[in-house]
Amino acid sequence: MKSSVEKTNTSATFEIEFESKDFEPARIKALERLARTVKVAGFREGKAPANVIEQHVDPNQLASQTLDILIRQTIPKVFGDEDIIPISVPHVDVMAYVPGESAKVKISADIMPEVEFCDYADLQAEYVKQTIKDTDVEDVLNRISESFAESAVVKRAAKDGDEVIIDFTGKKDGEAFQGGSAKDYKLRLGSKQFIPGFEDGIIGHEVGDSFDLNLTFPEDYGNKTLAGEAVVFEVLLKQVNEVKKPAIDDELAKKTGAFEKLADQKEDIRKNLEEQAQRQADERYKDALLQALVEGSKTEAPQTLVQEQVENFRGEILQNLKARKQELADWLKAQDKTKEEWEEELKEAAERRVISSIVVQRLGEKLKVEIEDKLVEEQLDAMRQTYGKNPDALKQIDSPETKLNIRNRMRINKIMDKLVELNRPHA
């Protein structure tokens, strides 16, 4: 067999010439395969010798099977010899074939591109950790007190902090706009759930009042069709509830946890906040390192992987829209985007995702990061313990795809941990 390769950073094409001596092993395997479907008098099914089977099969079928087996055996060899990783199913073009004597084929595939790395042990990324303040602890205590709050119906004008039940309809240019209406909506005044002016506009009104709120959506509002627009909300106030929160004291500490004193609870909250801040800082630092690594390195995004990622992104968005019973056209209108602009954004995001993945994978190869089988099995065992009574879940856990996904996730985590270790002076 003779082979030559033409290679770019994202694709490889092999031209392979087979000689007569290359065919015999593949021909034997082809006969073994065909023997399963051929019945020969005097022999049990599949037990006739190769020379007998050959007399009972279509020569064209044998020639086709032989070449198919030979090509399938050759593909991993030629890619492996050149240390090339295919990322798409190789395309085979048979250029010439004389059964048993010679063949010339062309095999092409998109490949994992090489990466020209920056100095990944000296990345410019800042480690920023949040300092926990007394006010942060107080915010948690206020939320705990809020969770134990009790409400009671009152017959007076609504005031800040009350819970109200309202009907409302939002209109723009006299027409109700999508998502701007609700009935029997429970709203805590002061929670800032609505655009500025809405909650303040309810304060001072009493049960039974119907009134209009003339408001303007913020310029940076997520729905572009409403951003900066003047609207009118027609509101009916149906109920006012006064909310009473328990005092933040030793009694609340005893009620909400194994604490004798409020001071003990404050100390526990601060400790938890510190640990959370540490985890968040670590994750932000990893993200910053990855961004610096990707921006400083050079590679290309194979279009096969980009298109796959585009389809993944598109599928997720369409599935979410379907769950919300929203049409794509309506969503695009709300985002103030054309379908073409959306598709371009998907492609750009997909290219960024693909390049990041390639850079991380290639860095793992340079750092020789591998995951032991026993670590993967430990993860699988933990999953089996969790879903042990669900046969469908167990079947999914034992699938090759799940094992591969776990290994990949563990490998990526290990690569990022090593990247952090290499850049520890910045932390």
Side-chain angles (χ1 to χ4, degrees), residues 3 31 43 65 80 87 97 100-101 105 114 117 127 146 152 227-228 230 233 236 256 288 306 308 318 381-382 397 409:
S3 70
L31 286 170
F43 294 93
Q65 292 274 3
I87 58 173
Y97 181 32
E101 295 184 16
V105 300
E114 298 294 336
F117 283 103
Y127 187 93
E146 186 78 38
F233 283 96
L236 169 63
T256 59
V306 171
E308 286 180 3
L318 294 178
D381 285 341
I397 289 169
R409 286 199 300 270

Side-chain angles (χ1 to χ4, degrees), residues 129-143:
K129 181 181 176 182
Q130 176 189 357
T131 300
I132 302 303
K133 304 183 290 293
D134 291 342
T135 53
D136 298 320
V137 176
E138 295 299 327
D139 287 342
V140 176
L141 287 169
N142 282 324
R143 289 197 294 273

Side-chain angles (χ1 to χ4, degrees), residues 124-221:
Q124 301 305 305
E126 185 179 5
Y127 187 93
V128 181
K129 181 181 176 182
Q130 176 189 357
T131 300
I132 302 303
K133 304 183 290 293
D134 291 342
T135 53
D136 298 320
V137 176
E138 295 299 327
D139 287 342
V140 176
L141 287 169
N142 282 324
R143 289 197 294 273
I144 292 173
S145 175
E146 186 78 38
S147 68
F148 282 85
E150 297 179 351
S151 61
V153 177
V154 291
K155 295 181 179 181
R156 57 165 173 74
K159 62 182 182 180
D160 190 32
D162 283 342
E163 178 185 82
V164 296
I165 297 176
I166 57 173
D167 293 345
F168 64 89
T169 301
K171 294 183 177 181
K172 174 187 171 186
D173 299 328
E175 297 290 333
F177 54 84
Q178 187 175 14
S181 303
K183 289 188 176 297
D184 295 324
Y185 190 89
K186 190 177 290 186
L187 173 65
R188 182 72 174 273
L189 300 181
S191 63
K192 298 181 180 179
Q193 292 183 41
F194 282 67
I195 62 174
F198 188 97
E199 294 171 32
D200 289 342
I202 297 175
I203 293 174
H205 285 283
E206 297 184 355
V207 173
D209 285 355
S210 293
F211 50 94
D212 292 344
L213 298 176
N214 295 286
L215 305 173
T216 301
F217 275 87
E219 293 290 343
D220 59 353
Y221 191 68

Side-chain angles (χ1 to χ4, degrees), residues 405-421:
N405 288 338
I406 290 175
R407 185 182 297 277
N408 286 340
R409 286 199 300 270
M410 294 178 72
R411 186 168 184 268
I412 290 171
N413 290 338
K414 190 172 180 179
I415 292 168
M416 293 307 301
D417 288 342
K418 281 188 171 292
L419 193 61
V420 170
E421 289 176 14

Side-chain angles (χ1 to χ4, degrees), residues 351-376:
E351 287 180 343
R352 290 194 297 270
R353 176 72 64 84
V354 168
I355 287 176
S356 293
S357 177
I358 289 169
V359 169
V360 170
Q361 294 295 338
R362 286 300 195 188
L363 180 62
E365 293 172 10
K366 288 184 72 70
L367 297 177
K368 295 181 172 52
V369 175
E370 297 294 341
I371 301 298
E372 296 179 21
D373 290 342
K374 68 176 184 178
L375 296 178
V376 177

Side-chain angles (χ1 to χ4, degrees), residues 109-129:
D110 289 335
I111 65 174
M112 179 70 76
E114 298 294 336
V115 176
E116 183 181 332
F117 283 103
C118 58
D119 185 354
Y120 50 79
D122 188 29
L123 296 170
Q124 301 305 305
E126 185 179 5
Y127 187 93
V128 181
K129 181 181 176 182

